[in-house]
Amino acid sequence: MKRVRKRLLLTVCAMVLPLAVTLIIYNVYSMIALNRQAAQSAAGTGYIYEQFYEKSIKTVESYMILEMVENDFRRLNYPLESLQAYLCGQNILEDFTKYLTSDVDGLVVLEFYSESNDLVRIKHATGTRYVPTKQSGICRAVYEEMKQGELNSDWYVIPVGDDYFLIRILKYGSMYIGAVMDFDQFMKPSSEVEGRSSYLVYATQDGQALNQKKLLEEKQIELKQNSKGYYITGKGMERYLVVYEQLPYGDLVQYYISPYGSFWNYMGALQWFLLFCSFIFILLIPILYFYMYRFFVAPLEGLKATMEEIAEGDLNAYAEENSDVEEFRLMATTFNHMMDQIQKLKIDAYEQERRIQNATIQYLQIQIRPHFFLNCLKNFYALAEQKEYHSIQELTLALSSYLRKVITYEEDTTSVRKEMESVESYLKLSQLGLSVPVNYNIAVDEKLEEFQILPLSVLTFVENAVKYGVQSQKTLLISIRVSLLPGETPEDTYVCITILDNGPGFPEDVLHFLNKEEFAEEKTAGIGIQNVWKRIKIRYEEKATILYSNSNGACVEMYLPYGKY
């Protein structure tokens, strides 16, 4: 049935899925194309800001070079008197002031240092956002870079507190000139989408942000690079489109972060229609499968379930005849009629088998009885030779009482209690013909007194114990125990009947022969033991067993299922 269901599902999918997948692929492609288009637009905007950045850097660098060839700057390259050095420094500061008022994007500090005159002059751009302590920190950091003497050949980043700045230092003889650019002072985006602003972030190659760090953490915007050149990031519904450019100065990356509108906002009418069609086709798969399952697979599964119940032994199981498909109704009706015929034949065959089994058991029981009668006749003969007439009279009365219980019993089974009464009668008879009396001990679980067993099944082994276990000058002790062995389920619960004597036990060759599975078919086996084993196999099939062993004498253990048989 799994194959039918699987093929049915494959058929439905083969009909609907190709078109649905095609539409989905088209929609996905459209989404990618729209994202790429939006990224190209954002990249164009980011490129404009990158050009402004490059222009500002070049402008400042050109000014620094021009300033280095001025007279005052060149004069300070040599040791001067204090007054002359002071005046030259003031002239340079005036030039710095004029240039800073020209509103160059990003420039916040100009500084020079004359190593020959130990003169430092610093000029801050007006309107900077830094408190005096932050300004002094920037100047001190630049001054330390100048005093080191090992200058970087390009613009590079220095940290000042929690902020980062881009600096450039040029050297002419013993003169140094430096410029500090603030990333937050470069030109910023001003456009908004759905009430959200765009942002410009500068970062190192490994994604460490140099500005807007608080904003990135709040918006959960990740800085990274990939093969596409753009990506979408952010938290929840507040998503951002990020494009980036490698900057020509400072070995930095510029990230242009713009609000990402919902994909649905970019879709046209045709794309909406195709997307709707793809969802409809996908929705049709379970609907078509349910329809075909109800009218085709469900009736087959019901018939299969009925056959499985029949295979497990439930012959009263019938297939449902309420299918909406006429062919399935006819199939179920025919199947039920066939099961009626099979059930009738099964009942007839079972009754015939039971009659044969009962006849076989009766025949085997009749085979056992002459075995006991012959033993009794031998005892009569021995007593007659010894002229023990009183003993012969007692033996005759005991045998008469025993035969009344055993021979006249016509039922298939007997209770454990009645079987033990027969055993006791037999042992009393046996004592009359023996010089050394036989002792016995019978222990039966109270719950098992009415448990049904095969007649003569225990008595046969007791007879063998008396026949082969009696020894001169030694009292034969026979112990019989009937106990319950509980299992996890009623089917695993067994009744154990143990017959144990203190005689010489089974010879090793006989013991090996008795424990063979095929010993019952051997012609040389004892009639009594063979018949007990055959009757047990007929009655309980493979659920019962008999084990033979030696334990200070002969030991027979009979395991019978506790269930009803």
Side-chain angles (χ1 to χ4, degrees), residues 359-417:
T360 303
I361 291 175
Q362 291 293 335
Y363 168 72
L364 293 173
Q365 289 180 186
I366 292 173
Q367 279 188 317
I368 292 177
R369 288 166 183 166
H371 179 71
F372 169 73
F373 297 153
L374 291 175
N375 289 339
C376 290
L377 291 176
K378 288 179 181 179
N379 290 337
F380 275 118
Y381 181 79
L383 292 174
E385 278 190 338
Q386 298 174 8
K387 297 181 180 181
E388 294 287 340
Y389 302 114
H390 180 69
S391 298
I392 291 174
Q393 290 175 339
E394 291 182 354
L395 181 59
T396 302
L397 293 175
L399 179 60
S400 175
S401 174
Y402 171 75
L403 293 178
R404 187 175 294 110
K405 294 179 180 178
V406 176
I407 295 180
T408 60
Y409 189 79
E410 299 295 338
E411 298 293 332
D412 293 340
T413 60
T414 184
S415 65
V416 171
R417 177 179 54 78

Short mmCIF file of all heavy atoms in Angstrom, two decimals, residues 359-417:
data_model
loop_
_atom_site.label_atom_id
_atom_site.label_comp_id
_atom_site.label_asym_id
_atom_site.label_seq_id
_atom_site.Cartn_x
_atom_site.Cartn_y
_atom_site.Cartn_z
N ALA A 359 -9.13 -38.47 19.37
CA ALA A 359 -9.00 -39.91 19.14
C ALA A 359 -7.57 -40.37 19.37
O ALA A 359 -7.32 -41.44 19.95
CB ALA A 359 -9.45 -40.26 17.72
N THR A 360 -6.61 -39.53 18.92
CA THR A 360 -5.20 -39.89 19.09
C THR A 360 -4.82 -39.89 20.57
O THR A 360 -4.12 -40.79 21.05
CB THR A 360 -4.31 -38.88 18.34
OG1 THR A 360 -4.68 -38.87 16.97
CG2 THR A 360 -2.84 -39.26 18.45
N ILE A 361 -5.30 -38.88 21.30
CA ILE A 361 -4.99 -38.82 22.73
C ILE A 361 -5.60 -40.01 23.47
O ILE A 361 -4.96 -40.64 24.33
CB ILE A 361 -5.49 -37.49 23.32
CG1 ILE A 361 -4.65 -36.32 22.76
CG2 ILE A 361 -5.42 -37.51 24.83
CD1 ILE A 361 -5.15 -34.96 23.19
N GLN A 362 -6.84 -40.35 23.13
CA GLN A 362 -7.50 -41.51 23.76
C GLN A 362 -6.72 -42.78 23.46
O GLN A 362 -6.52 -43.64 24.34
CB GLN A 362 -8.94 -41.64 23.27
CG GLN A 362 -9.88 -40.54 23.74
CD GLN A 362 -10.11 -40.58 25.24
OE1 GLN A 362 -10.00 -41.65 25.87
NE2 GLN A 362 -10.42 -39.43 25.83
N TYR A 363 -6.24 -42.90 22.23
CA TYR A 363 -5.47 -44.08 21.85
C TYR A 363 -4.17 -44.16 22.64
O TYR A 363 -3.78 -45.23 23.13
CB TYR A 363 -5.19 -44.03 20.35
CG TYR A 363 -4.17 -45.05 19.89
CD1 TYR A 363 -4.49 -46.41 19.83
CD2 TYR A 363 -2.88 -44.65 19.54
CE1 TYR A 363 -3.55 -47.33 19.40
CE2 TYR A 363 -1.94 -45.56 19.13
CZ TYR A 363 -2.28 -46.92 19.06
OH TYR A 363 -1.35 -47.83 18.66
N LEU A 364 -3.50 -43.00 22.78
CA LEU A 364 -2.24 -43.00 23.52
C LEU A 364 -2.46 -43.30 25.00
O LEU A 364 -1.64 -43.97 25.64
CB LEU A 364 -1.55 -41.65 23.36
CG LEU A 364 -1.05 -41.33 21.93
CD1 LEU A 364 -0.53 -39.90 21.86
CD2 LEU A 364 0.03 -42.31 21.50
N GLN A 365 -3.57 -42.79 25.57
CA GLN A 365 -3.86 -43.09 26.97
C GLN A 365 -4.13 -44.58 27.16
O GLN A 365 -3.73 -45.17 28.16
CB GLN A 365 -5.08 -42.27 27.43
CG GLN A 365 -4.77 -40.79 27.56
CD GLN A 365 -5.96 -39.98 28.02
OE1 GLN A 365 -5.90 -38.78 28.07
NE2 GLN A 365 -7.05 -40.66 28.36
N ILE A 366 -4.85 -45.19 26.19
CA ILE A 366 -5.12 -46.63 26.28
C ILE A 366 -3.82 -47.41 26.22
O ILE A 366 -3.66 -48.44 26.88
CB ILE A 366 -6.07 -47.06 25.14
CG1 ILE A 366 -7.45 -46.46 25.39
CG2 ILE A 366 -6.17 -48.59 25.04
CD1 ILE A 366 -8.42 -46.67 24.24
N GLN A 367 -2.81 -46.90 25.47
CA GLN A 367 -1.51 -47.57 25.39
C GLN A 367 -0.79 -47.55 26.74
O GLN A 367 -0.06 -48.48 27.08
CB GLN A 367 -0.63 -46.90 24.34
CG GLN A 367 -0.94 -47.32 22.92
CD GLN A 367 0.09 -46.76 21.96
OE1 GLN A 367 0.46 -45.60 22.07
NE2 GLN A 367 0.54 -47.59 21.04
N ILE A 368 -1.00 -46.46 27.50
CA ILE A 368 -0.29 -46.34 28.77
C ILE A 368 -0.87 -47.31 29.80
O ILE A 368 -0.14 -47.91 30.59
CB ILE A 368 -0.38 -44.89 29.28
CG1 ILE A 368 0.43 -43.97 28.36
CG2 ILE A 368 0.14 -44.77 30.70
CD1 ILE A 368 0.34 -42.52 28.74
N ARG A 369 -2.19 -47.48 29.86
CA ARG A 369 -2.83 -48.26 30.91
C ARG A 369 -2.34 -49.70 30.97
O ARG A 369 -2.05 -50.20 32.05
CB ARG A 369 -4.35 -48.21 30.73
CG ARG A 369 -4.91 -46.83 31.09
CD ARG A 369 -6.32 -46.64 30.61
NE ARG A 369 -6.81 -45.27 30.90
CZ ARG A 369 -7.88 -44.74 30.38
NH1 ARG A 369 -8.62 -45.46 29.53
NH2 ARG A 369 -8.25 -43.52 30.70
N PRO A 370 -2.22 -50.42 29.83
CA PRO A 370 -1.69 -51.80 29.94
C PRO A 370 -0.32 -51.85 30.57
O PRO A 370 0.02 -52.83 31.24
CB PRO A 370 -1.66 -52.25 28.48
CG PRO A 370 -2.71 -51.45 27.80
CD PRO A 370 -2.68 -50.14 28.46
N HIS A 371 0.49 -50.80 30.38
CA HIS A 371 1.82 -50.76 30.98
C HIS A 371 1.72 -50.84 32.50
O HIS A 371 2.48 -51.57 33.16
CB HIS A 371 2.50 -49.46 30.54
CG HIS A 371 3.87 -49.27 31.13
ND1 HIS A 371 4.95 -50.02 30.74
CD2 HIS A 371 4.32 -48.41 32.09
CE1 HIS A 371 6.01 -49.65 31.42
NE2 HIS A 371 5.65 -48.67 32.25
N PHE A 372 0.75 -50.12 33.07
CA PHE A 372 0.56 -50.14 34.51
C PHE A 372 -0.04 -51.48 34.96
O PHE A 372 0.35 -52.05 35.98
CB PHE A 372 -0.36 -48.98 34.92
CG PHE A 372 -0.84 -49.07 36.34
CD1 PHE A 372 0.02 -48.81 37.39
CD2 PHE A 372 -2.14 -49.44 36.63
CE1 PHE A 372 -0.42 -48.89 38.70
CE2 PHE A 372 -2.58 -49.51 37.92
CZ PHE A 372 -1.73 -49.23 38.97
N PHE A 373 -0.99 -52.02 34.17
CA PHE A 373 -1.61 -53.29 34.54
C PHE A 373 -0.58 -54.40 34.60
O PHE A 373 -0.61 -55.27 35.50
CB PHE A 373 -2.70 -53.67 33.53
CG PHE A 373 -3.84 -52.67 33.49
CD1 PHE A 373 -4.59 -52.52 32.33
CD2 PHE A 373 -4.13 -51.88 34.59
CE1 PHE A 373 -5.63 -51.59 32.29
CE2 PHE A 373 -5.17 -50.98 34.54
CZ PHE A 373 -5.93 -50.82 33.38
N LEU A 374 0.36 -54.43 33.68
CA LEU A 374 1.40 -55.46 33.68
C LEU A 374 2.25 -55.38 34.94
O LEU A 374 2.63 -56.42 35.53
CB LEU A 374 2.29 -55.31 32.44
CG LEU A 374 1.62 -55.65 31.09
CD1 LEU A 374 2.56 -55.35 29.94
CD2 LEU A 374 1.21 -57.12 31.06
N ASN A 375 2.56 -54.16 35.39
CA ASN A 375 3.33 -54.01 36.62
C ASN A 375 2.56 -54.57 37.81
O ASN A 375 3.13 -55.23 38.70
CB ASN A 375 3.65 -52.53 36.87
CG ASN A 375 4.68 -52.01 35.87
OD1 ASN A 375 5.43 -52.79 35.29
ND2 ASN A 375 4.70 -50.69 35.69
N CYS A 376 1.23 -54.34 37.84
CA CYS A 376 0.41 -54.85 38.93
C CYS A 376 0.38 -56.39 38.92
O CYS A 376 0.46 -57.05 39.97
CB CYS A 376 -1.01 -54.30 38.84
SG CYS A 376 -1.09 -52.52 39.22
N LEU A 377 0.26 -56.97 37.72
CA LEU A 377 0.24 -58.44 37.61
C LEU A 377 1.56 -59.03 38.09
O LEU A 377 1.57 -60.12 38.72
CB LEU A 377 -0.04 -58.85 36.17
CG LEU A 377 -1.46 -58.55 35.65
CD1 LEU A 377 -1.58 -58.91 34.19
CD2 LEU A 377 -2.50 -59.30 36.48
N LYS A 378 2.67 -58.35 37.80
CA LYS A 378 3.96 -58.84 38.30
C LYS A 378 3.99 -58.84 39.82
O LYS A 378 4.53 -59.75 40.46
CB LYS A 378 5.09 -57.97 37.75
CG LYS A 378 5.35 -58.17 36.26
CD LYS A 378 6.47 -57.25 35.79
CE LYS A 378 6.72 -57.41 34.30
NZ LYS A 378 7.80 -56.51 33.82
N ASN A 379 3.39 -57.82 40.42
CA ASN A 379 3.34 -57.76 41.89
C ASN A 379 2.48 -58.89 42.44
O ASN A 379 2.81 -59.51 43.47
CB ASN A 379 2.80 -56.42 42.34
CG ASN A 379 3.77 -55.28 42.07
OD1 ASN A 379 4.97 -55.51 41.94
ND2 ASN A 379 3.25 -54.06 41.98
N PHE A 380 1.34 -59.16 41.79
CA PHE A 380 0.50 -60.30 42.21
C PHE A 380 1.28 -61.61 42.17
O PHE A 380 1.21 -62.44 43.09
CB PHE A 380 -0.74 -60.42 41.29
CG PHE A 380 -1.89 -59.53 41.70
CD1 PHE A 380 -2.36 -58.54 40.87
CD2 PHE A 380 -2.50 -59.71 42.94
CE1 PHE A 380 -3.42 -57.73 41.24
CE2 PHE A 380 -3.56 -58.89 43.31
CZ PHE A 380 -4.03 -57.91 42.47
N TYR A 381 2.03 -61.81 41.10
CA TYR A 381 2.79 -63.05 40.93
C TYR A 381 3.83 -63.20 42.03
O TYR A 381 4.01 -64.28 42.61
CB TYR A 381 3.46 -63.03 39.56
CG TYR A 381 4.25 -64.29 39.26
CD1 TYR A 381 3.60 -65.46 38.85
CD2 TYR A 381 5.64 -64.32 39.41
CE1 TYR A 381 4.33 -66.61 38.60
CE2 TYR A 381 6.37 -65.45 39.16
CZ TYR A 381 5.71 -66.61 38.74
OH TYR A 381 6.43 -67.75 38.49
N ALA A 382 4.52 -62.07 42.32
CA ALA A 382 5.57 -62.14 43.35
C ALA A 382 4.97 -62.43 44.72
O ALA A 382 5.52 -63.23 45.50
CB ALA A 382 6.34 -60.81 43.38
N LEU A 383 3.82 -61.86 45.05
CA LEU A 383 3.18 -62.11 46.34
C LEU A 383 2.65 -63.53 46.43
O LEU A 383 2.67 -64.17 47.51
CB LEU A 383 2.04 -61.11 46.56
CG LEU A 383 2.47 -59.64 46.75
CD1 LEU A 383 1.24 -58.74 46.80
CD2 LEU A 383 3.28 -59.48 48.05
N ALA A 384 2.16 -64.05 45.29
CA ALA A 384 1.65 -65.43 45.28
C ALA A 384 2.77 -66.41 45.54
O ALA A 384 2.61 -67.41 46.25
CB ALA A 384 0.95 -65.71 43.95
N GLU A 385 3.97 -66.15 44.95
CA GLU A 385 5.12 -67.05 45.18
C GLU A 385 5.50 -67.08 46.66
O GLU A 385 5.90 -68.11 47.20
CB GLU A 385 6.31 -66.57 44.35
CG GLU A 385 6.26 -67.04 42.90
CD GLU A 385 7.57 -66.74 42.20
OE1 GLU A 385 8.31 -65.84 42.68
OE2 GLU A 385 7.86 -67.39 41.19
N GLN A 386 5.36 -65.89 47.30
CA GLN A 386 5.72 -65.80 48.72
C GLN A 386 4.56 -66.17 49.64
O GLN A 386 4.68 -66.07 50.86
CB GLN A 386 6.19 -64.37 49.03
CG GLN A 386 7.44 -63.96 48.24
CD GLN A 386 7.79 -62.51 48.46
OE1 GLN A 386 7.20 -61.87 49.32
NE2 GLN A 386 8.76 -62.00 47.69
N LYS A 387 3.38 -66.55 49.03
CA LYS A 387 2.19 -66.95 49.77
C LYS A 387 1.73 -65.84 50.73
O LYS A 387 1.30 -66.09 51.86
CB LYS A 387 2.45 -68.24 50.55
CG LYS A 387 2.76 -69.43 49.64
CD LYS A 387 2.99 -70.69 50.45
CE LYS A 387 3.30 -71.87 49.52
NZ LYS A 387 3.51 -73.15 50.28
N GLU A 388 1.88 -64.59 50.23
CA GLU A 388 1.43 -63.43 51.01
C GLU A 388 -0.03 -63.17 50.65
O GLU A 388 -0.36 -62.21 49.93
CB GLU A 388 2.31 -62.21 50.69
CG GLU A 388 3.75 -62.32 51.13
CD GLU A 388 3.89 -62.20 52.64
OE1 GLU A 388 2.97 -61.68 53.29
OE2 GLU A 388 4.95 -62.62 53.14
N TYR A 389 -0.92 -64.05 51.15
CA TYR A 389 -2.32 -63.95 50.73
C TYR A 389 -2.98 -62.67 51.26
O TYR A 389 -3.84 -62.08 50.59
CB TYR A 389 -3.10 -65.19 51.22
CG TYR A 389 -2.49 -66.48 50.69
CD1 TYR A 389 -1.89 -67.41 51.55
CD2 TYR A 389 -2.51 -66.73 49.31
CE1 TYR A 389 -1.32 -68.56 51.07
CE2 TYR A 389 -1.94 -67.90 48.84
CZ TYR A 389 -1.35 -68.81 49.70
OH TYR A 389 -0.79 -69.94 49.22
N HIS A 390 -2.60 -62.29 52.47
CA HIS A 390 -3.18 -61.06 53.02
C HIS A 390 -2.79 -59.85 52.16
O HIS A 390 -3.61 -58.96 51.87
CB HIS A 390 -2.71 -60.86 54.46
CG HIS A 390 -3.27 -59.61 55.08
ND1 HIS A 390 -4.62 -59.46 55.40
CD2 HIS A 390 -2.66 -58.43 55.43
CE1 HIS A 390 -4.81 -58.27 55.91
NE2 HIS A 390 -3.62 -57.62 55.95
N SER A 391 -1.50 -59.83 51.73
CA SER A 391 -1.03 -58.73 50.88
C SER A 391 -1.73 -58.74 49.53
O SER A 391 -2.03 -57.68 48.95
CB SER A 391 0.49 -58.82 50.68
OG SER A 391 1.17 -58.69 51.92
N ILE A 392 -2.02 -59.99 49.04
CA ILE A 392 -2.72 -60.08 47.75
C ILE A 392 -4.12 -59.49 47.88
O ILE A 392 -4.59 -58.77 46.98
CB ILE A 392 -2.80 -61.55 47.29
CG1 ILE A 392 -1.38 -62.05 46.91
CG2 ILE A 392 -3.74 -61.68 46.08
CD1 ILE A 392 -1.35 -63.53 46.58
N GLN A 393 -4.77 -59.74 49.01
CA GLN A 393 -6.10 -59.18 49.21
C GLN A 393 -6.05 -57.64 49.26
O GLN A 393 -6.90 -56.95 48.66
CB GLN A 393 -6.70 -59.73 50.51
CG GLN A 393 -7.05 -61.21 50.44
CD GLN A 393 -7.53 -61.76 51.77
OE1 GLN A 393 -7.25 -61.18 52.82
NE2 GLN A 393 -8.25 -62.90 51.73
N GLU A 394 -5.07 -57.09 49.99
CA GLU A 394 -4.95 -55.63 50.08
C GLU A 394 -4.64 -55.02 48.70
O GLU A 394 -5.18 -53.96 48.34
CB GLU A 394 -3.85 -55.25 51.08
CG GLU A 394 -4.21 -55.58 52.52
CD GLU A 394 -3.11 -55.14 53.48
OE1 GLU A 394 -2.04 -54.70 52.97
OE2 GLU A 394 -3.32 -55.20 54.69
N LEU A 395 -3.75 -55.72 47.95
CA LEU A 395 -3.39 -55.22 46.63
C LEU A 395 -4.59 -55.23 45.70
O LEU A 395 -4.80 -54.30 44.90
CB LEU A 395 -2.26 -56.07 46.04
CG LEU A 395 -1.76 -55.66 44.65
CD1 LEU A 395 -1.23 -54.23 44.66
CD2 LEU A 395 -0.69 -56.64 44.17
N THR A 396 -5.44 -56.27 45.85
CA THR A 396 -6.62 -56.35 44.99
C THR A 396 -7.59 -55.21 45.28
O THR A 396 -8.13 -54.57 44.36
CB THR A 396 -7.34 -57.69 45.21
OG1 THR A 396 -6.41 -58.77 44.94
CG2 THR A 396 -8.55 -57.83 44.32
N LEU A 397 -7.80 -54.91 46.59
CA LEU A 397 -8.70 -53.82 46.93
C LEU A 397 -8.14 -52.46 46.47
O LEU A 397 -8.88 -51.60 45.97
CB LEU A 397 -8.93 -53.79 48.45
CG LEU A 397 -9.71 -55.00 49.02
CD1 LEU A 397 -9.77 -54.93 50.54
CD2 LEU A 397 -11.12 -55.03 48.44
N ALA A 398 -6.83 -52.27 46.65
CA ALA A 398 -6.22 -51.00 46.24
C ALA A 398 -6.28 -50.82 44.73
O ALA A 398 -6.56 -49.73 44.22
CB ALA A 398 -4.77 -50.94 46.73
N LEU A 399 -6.02 -51.95 44.00
CA LEU A 399 -6.06 -51.87 42.55
C LEU A 399 -7.47 -51.58 42.06
O LEU A 399 -7.67 -50.79 41.12
CB LEU A 399 -5.56 -53.18 41.94
CG LEU A 399 -5.57 -53.25 40.40
CD1 LEU A 399 -4.68 -52.16 39.82
CD2 LEU A 399 -5.12 -54.63 39.95
N SER A 400 -8.45 -52.16 42.73
CA SER A 400 -9.85 -51.91 42.36
C SER A 400 -10.20 -50.44 42.54
O SER A 400 -10.84 -49.83 41.68
CB SER A 400 -10.77 -52.79 43.21
OG SER A 400 -12.11 -52.47 42.94
N SER A 401 -9.75 -49.84 43.66
CA SER A 401 -10.02 -48.42 43.90
C SER A 401 -9.30 -47.55 42.88
O SER A 401 -9.85 -46.57 42.37
CB SER A 401 -9.58 -48.05 45.32
OG SER A 401 -9.71 -46.66 45.52
N TYR A 402 -8.08 -47.94 42.53
CA TYR A 402 -7.29 -47.14 41.57
C TYR A 402 -7.90 -47.20 40.18
O TYR A 402 -8.04 -46.17 39.49
CB TYR A 402 -5.85 -47.66 41.55
CG TYR A 402 -5.01 -47.04 40.44
CD1 TYR A 402 -4.55 -45.73 40.54
CD2 TYR A 402 -4.71 -47.77 39.30
CE1 TYR A 402 -3.81 -45.17 39.52
CE2 TYR A 402 -3.96 -47.22 38.28
CZ TYR A 402 -3.51 -45.93 38.41
OH TYR A 402 -2.78 -45.38 37.39
N LEU A 403 -8.32 -48.42 39.76
CA LEU A 403 -8.88 -48.56 38.42
C LEU A 403 -10.20 -47.81 38.28
O LEU A 403 -10.55 -47.33 37.20
CB LEU A 403 -9.08 -50.04 38.09
CG LEU A 403 -7.80 -50.87 37.94
CD1 LEU A 403 -8.13 -52.32 37.66
CD2 LEU A 403 -6.93 -50.32 36.81
N ARG A 404 -10.93 -47.71 39.38
CA ARG A 404 -12.19 -46.99 39.33
C ARG A 404 -11.93 -45.50 38.99
O ARG A 404 -12.75 -44.85 38.34
CB ARG A 404 -12.91 -47.11 40.68
CG ARG A 404 -14.32 -46.52 40.64
CD ARG A 404 -15.04 -46.78 41.96
NE ARG A 404 -15.29 -48.22 42.15
CZ ARG A 404 -14.68 -48.97 43.05
NH1 ARG A 404 -13.78 -48.43 43.85
NH2 ARG A 404 -14.95 -50.26 43.16
N LYS A 405 -10.78 -44.97 39.44
CA LYS A 405 -10.45 -43.57 39.17
C LYS A 405 -9.83 -43.37 37.79
O LYS A 405 -10.07 -42.38 37.12
CB LYS A 405 -9.48 -43.03 40.23
CG LYS A 405 -10.06 -42.96 41.61
CD LYS A 405 -9.02 -42.44 42.58
CE LYS A 405 -9.59 -42.34 44.00
NZ LYS A 405 -8.56 -41.87 44.95
N VAL A 406 -9.06 -44.34 37.35
CA VAL A 406 -8.24 -44.13 36.16
C VAL A 406 -8.91 -44.64 34.89
O VAL A 406 -9.10 -43.91 33.92
CB VAL A 406 -6.85 -44.78 36.34
CG1 VAL A 406 -6.03 -44.65 35.05
CG2 VAL A 406 -6.13 -44.15 37.50
N ILE A 407 -9.31 -45.88 34.92
CA ILE A 407 -9.80 -46.51 33.69
C ILE A 407 -11.14 -45.95 33.27
O ILE A 407 -11.44 -45.77 32.10
CB ILE A 407 -9.86 -48.04 33.87
CG1 ILE A 407 -8.44 -48.58 34.05
CG2 ILE A 407 -10.50 -48.70 32.65
CD1 ILE A 407 -8.37 -50.08 34.23
N THR A 408 -11.99 -45.65 34.26
CA THR A 408 -13.33 -45.15 33.92
C THR A 408 -13.34 -43.67 33.57
O THR A 408 -14.38 -43.13 33.23
CB THR A 408 -14.29 -45.38 35.11
OG1 THR A 408 -13.80 -44.68 36.24
CG2 THR A 408 -14.41 -46.86 35.41
N TYR A 409 -12.17 -42.99 33.60
CA TYR A 409 -12.12 -41.54 33.31
C TYR A 409 -12.06 -41.34 31.81
O TYR A 409 -11.17 -41.84 31.13
CB TYR A 409 -10.87 -40.92 33.99
CG TYR A 409 -10.87 -39.41 33.92
CD1 TYR A 409 -11.64 -38.69 34.80
CD2 TYR A 409 -10.13 -38.76 32.95
CE1 TYR A 409 -11.67 -37.31 34.73
CE2 TYR A 409 -10.15 -37.39 32.89
CZ TYR A 409 -10.93 -36.67 33.79
OH TYR A 409 -10.93 -35.31 33.72
N GLU A 410 -13.04 -40.62 31.26
CA GLU A 410 -13.17 -40.48 29.82
C GLU A 410 -12.92 -39.06 29.31
O GLU A 410 -13.03 -38.82 28.12
CB GLU A 410 -14.58 -40.93 29.37
CG GLU A 410 -14.89 -42.38 29.68
CD GLU A 410 -13.99 -43.34 28.91
OE1 GLU A 410 -13.45 -42.93 27.86
OE2 GLU A 410 -13.83 -44.48 29.35
N GLU A 411 -12.63 -38.08 30.19
CA GLU A 411 -12.43 -36.71 29.76
C GLU A 411 -11.05 -36.52 29.10
O GLU A 411 -10.13 -37.32 29.34
CB GLU A 411 -12.56 -35.75 30.95
CG GLU A 411 -13.94 -35.77 31.60
CD GLU A 411 -15.00 -35.21 30.68
OE1 GLU A 411 -14.65 -34.36 29.82
OE2 GLU A 411 -16.16 -35.62 30.82
N ASP A 412 -10.92 -35.46 28.31
CA ASP A 412 -9.64 -35.17 27.66
C ASP A 412 -8.59 -34.73 28.66
O ASP A 412 -7.39 -35.01 28.49
CB ASP A 412 -9.80 -34.07 26.60
CG ASP A 412 -10.66 -34.54 25.45
OD1 ASP A 412 -10.78 -35.77 25.28
OD2 ASP A 412 -11.20 -33.68 24.72
N THR A 413 -9.00 -33.99 29.69
CA THR A 413 -8.07 -33.48 30.69
C THR A 413 -8.58 -33.79 32.08
O THR A 413 -9.74 -34.17 32.27
CB THR A 413 -7.90 -31.95 30.55
OG1 THR A 413 -9.18 -31.33 30.73
CG2 THR A 413 -7.34 -31.58 29.18
N THR A 414 -7.71 -33.65 33.04
CA THR A 414 -8.06 -33.82 34.44
C THR A 414 -7.40 -32.72 35.25
O THR A 414 -6.43 -32.10 34.79
CB THR A 414 -7.62 -35.20 34.95
OG1 THR A 414 -8.07 -35.36 36.30
CG2 THR A 414 -6.10 -35.33 34.93
N SER A 415 -7.89 -32.46 36.43
CA SER A 415 -7.28 -31.43 37.26
C SER A 415 -6.01 -31.94 37.91
O SER A 415 -5.80 -33.17 38.03
CB SER A 415 -8.27 -30.96 38.34
OG SER A 415 -8.55 -32.03 39.23
N VAL A 416 -5.16 -31.01 38.32
CA VAL A 416 -3.93 -31.40 39.02
C VAL A 416 -4.27 -32.16 40.30
O VAL A 416 -3.60 -33.15 40.66
CB VAL A 416 -3.09 -30.15 39.34
CG1 VAL A 416 -1.92 -30.49 40.25
CG2 VAL A 416 -2.59 -29.49 38.06
N ARG A 417 -5.34 -31.75 40.98
CA ARG A 417 -5.73 -32.42 42.22
C ARG A 417 -6.06 -33.90 41.97
O ARG A 417 -5.60 -34.79 42.70
CB ARG A 417 -6.93 -31.69 42.83
CG ARG A 417 -7.50 -32.33 44.09
CD ARG A 417 -8.66 -31.50 44.62
NE ARG A 417 -9.68 -31.26 43.61
CZ ARG A 417 -10.59 -32.17 43.24
NH1 ARG A 417 -10.61 -33.38 43.80
NH2 ARG A 417 -11.50 -31.88 42.32
#
